[in-house]
C-alpha cells in the first residue's frame, strides 16, 4: 500500500530522486538530503505506514531486518562509532 501524498512513497516509486544505497522487495535505503552526520541514511519500509501507531505484528519481520541493515550499511558507507570518555565512564 502506498500513499500518493507521502514523500517517502514517492521516493520509493522514483517520483522524487534519491541517492539509493540499498533496495529489496520490502526495504528502501537512501542518503538523507540534509545529513546531520558524515553517514546519514534513511531506512524505510516500502509498505506505507502513516505513524508508528499503524504498525502491527505483521510488520515485525521487516522492521527487524531494517534494524540489522542499519549498522551493516552504515559501516559499508564508512561510518564508525567513537566512544568518548563521557560514554566510556558514565
Amino acid at each position: 500500500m502506498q500513499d500518493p501524498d507521502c514523500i517517502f512513497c514517492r521516493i520509493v516509486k522514483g517520483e522524487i530522486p534519491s541517492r539509493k544505497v540499498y533496495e529489496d522487495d520490502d526495504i528502501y535505503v537512501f542518503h538523507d538530503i540534509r545529513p546531520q552526520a558524515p553517514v546519514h541514511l534513511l531506512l524505510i519500509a516500502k509498505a506505507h505506514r502513516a505513524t508508528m501507531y499503524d504498525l502491527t505484528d505483521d510488520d515485525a519481520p521487516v522492521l527487524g531486518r531494517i534494524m540489522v541493515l542499519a549498522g551493516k550499511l552504515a559501516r559499508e558507507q564508512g561510518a564508525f562509532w567513537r566512544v568518548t570518555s563521557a560514554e566510556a565512564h558514565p
Side-chain angles (χ1 to χ4, degrees), residues 29-73:
V29 182
F30 57 100
H31 289 273
D32 192 292
I33 61 170
R34 291 194 178 94
Q36 301 299 306
V39 177
H40 187 161
L41 304 175
L42 299 176
L43 295 86
I44 60 172
K46 287 184 174 181
H48 175 79
R49 299 294 182 266
T51 71
M52 296 292 281
Y53 293 117
D54 298 321
L55 296 173
T56 68
D57 289 340
D58 292 339
D59 295 304
V62 172
L63 295 173
R65 288 184 37 235
I66 286 173
M67 296 302 291
V68 171
L69 271 173
K72 176 182 182 290
L73 294 176

Side-chain angles (χ1 to χ4, degrees), residues 9-44:
C9 291
R10 294 183 63 207
I11 289 169
V12 168
K13 287 173 52 178
E15 295 174 358
I16 297 174
S18 67
R19 289 181 31 216
K20 179 172 64 172
V21 173
Y22 175 88
E23 180 177 18
D24 65 24
D25 291 340
D26 303 310
I27 300 168
Y28 191 85
V29 182
F30 57 100
H31 289 273
D32 192 292
I33 61 170
R34 291 194 178 94
Q36 301 299 306
V39 177
H40 187 161
L41 304 175
L42 299 176
L43 295 86
I44 60 172

